[in-house]
Amino acid sequence: MSQSPLPVVRPVAELRGKVRAWRAAGERIGFVPTMGALHEGHLSLVQLARQHAQRVVVSIFVNPTQFAPHEDFDAYPRGEARDAELLAAAGCDLLFAPTVAEMYPSGFATTVTVGGVTEPLDGAARPGHFAGVATVVSKLLNQCGPDVAVFGEKDYQQLQVIRRLVRDLDLPVEIVGAPTARAPDGLALSSRNAYLTPAERKIAPSLARTLGAACAGLRAGARVSDVEAEAVAALTAAGFRRVDYVEVRTAEDLSRLGPGPITSPARILAAAFLGKTRLIDNFAV
Ligand code: PAF
């Protein structure tokens, strides 16, 4: 049986109208912000949102302000019709797909910057990225007004930035982190995996394997500094062209740990280039 088409709204006023009607009927609203090019990982976020709410709204907006000029904004994969079919089948009730002019009308002049947790790792490697994310997520949460919003742990630093933002600005929404969806060989699902050549795709799972081995070392009492250095060497040997970072940080605010064995909840995070594609991954330690 074919799925009925997913309702799509583009103006913020229409999104608010739909959400208002659901809320008046006593329904909880779940929200999953995305940039489209959806895969099983996104669909698992929709399914998790369904467990928390009667209605699920998904946004698709390739946000120009979180891409640096040399990054892949123009090349970022887009395909709304396919995405809408996947979302309908996954139990989404409404797709919010605003235009750039709707999100950033002429005269737009506000940026939301979060301190601390935005500074290391991707914040250092991609200056301005988290200001773009924090600004667009603030807008999306205001526009939709959900009870709960779901973000993937695949972008763990982003998740912690959004948790900080929501706490600091008293936004009335519960943030839920969803476990990273992986291919059978361990590669974290990502829209950017589509850029990998067949040869690179074979190498890509060594990112997760390397981090898994690093976690095992840390649990066995290895020193943070040794584990980080060994992981960088392993990724380089596997064929990664450039390793932006492999770092073990505190799980909550991603601050630095001492060089010795870990004594409190931590996260190991990595970003590395395979050819032109930048892959990220992370594990709880
Ligand atoms: O994770 C993403 O897809 C994006 O960073 C987000 C949260 C949708 C903001 O543009």
Side-chain angles (χ1 to χ4, degrees):
M1 204 175 71
S2 73
Q3 198 76 41
S4 49
L6 182 66
V8 183
V9 292
R10 295 182 203 283
V12 173
E14 274 185 37
L15 168 67
R16 289 206 166 120
K18 295 261 189 202
V19 169
R20 201 179 305 119
W22 287 330
R23 203 177 286 295
E27 293 177 320
R28 265 172 72 81
I29 316 296
F31 181 47
V32 182
T34 81
M35 298 204 302
L38 302 181
H39 49 66
E40 283 298 326
H42 295 108
L43 304 181
S44 73
L45 306 186
V46 175
Q47 282 144 14
L48 186 55
R50 273 234 85 89
Q51 292 172 24
H52 290 262
Q54 285 82 38
R55 297 287 180 175
V56 176
V57 178
V58 174
S59 65
I60 294 182
F61 180 64
V62 186
N63 173 36
T65 67
Q66 67 188 77
F67 290 79
H70 64 277
E71 290 184 338
D72 55 344
F73 174 71
D74 289 330
Y76 198 83
R78 290 163 171 88
E80 189 182 297
R82 175 189 163 275
D83 287 347
E85 275 177 30
L86 292 173
L87 289 173
C92 168
D93 295 286
L94 180 67
L95 172 57
F96 174 50
T99 61
V100 173
E102 181 77 6
M103 293 298 276
Y104 299 115
S106 150
F108 186 90
T110 299
T111 301
V112 179
T113 52
V114 178
V117 65
T118 57
E119 283 157 25
L121 309 170
D122 262 25
R126 303 180 66 190
H129 170 67
F130 284 123
V133 170
T135 303
V136 82
V137 170
S138 303
K139 284 176 66 74
L140 289 165
L141 292 175
N142 266 325
Q143 291 161 344
C144 180
D147 298 285
V148 55
V150 181
F151 293 83
E153 285 183 356
K154 152 85 175 16
D155 296 290
Y156 187 77
Q157 189 175 11
Q158 170 175 279
L159 173 62
Q160 296 310 89
V161 169
I162 289 159
R163 287 194 162 126
R164 184 76 264 162
L165 165 81
V166 163
R167 275 199 298 270
D168 288 356
L169 298 185
D170 304 306
L171 301 183
V173 59
E174 180 192 349
I175 301 300
V176 171
T180 303
R182 295 182 181 278
D185 60 11
L187 176 65
L189 299 187
S190 162
S191 307
R192 290 191 167 100
N193 293 349
Y195 301 150
L196 296 170
T197 65
E200 290 165 353
R201 176 63 188 78
K202 284 201 184 119
I203 298 172
S206 57
L207 179 56
R209 273 201 299 274
T210 301
L211 295 186
C215 277
L218 289 165
R219 286 194 193 110
R223 292 171 60 78
V224 164
S225 55
D226 294 343
V227 163
E228 290 173 344
E230 281 162 20
V232 171
L235 291 176
T236 308
F240 281 81
R241 173 170 71 76
R242 187 179 105 202
V243 179
D244 270 352
Y245 58 81
V246 178
E247 289 189 28
V248 185
R249 296 247 166 186
T250 61
E252 171 70 15
D253 63 2
L254 301 179
S255 54
R256 271 205 184 286
L257 289 161
I262 57 165
T263 54
S264 54
R267 200 95 192 173
I268 183 162
L269 307 99
F273 280 87
L274 251 186
K276 291 192 176 123
T277 308
R278 186 173 187 272
L279 299 180
I280 60 171
D281 203 349
N282 69 86
F283 284 88
V285 185

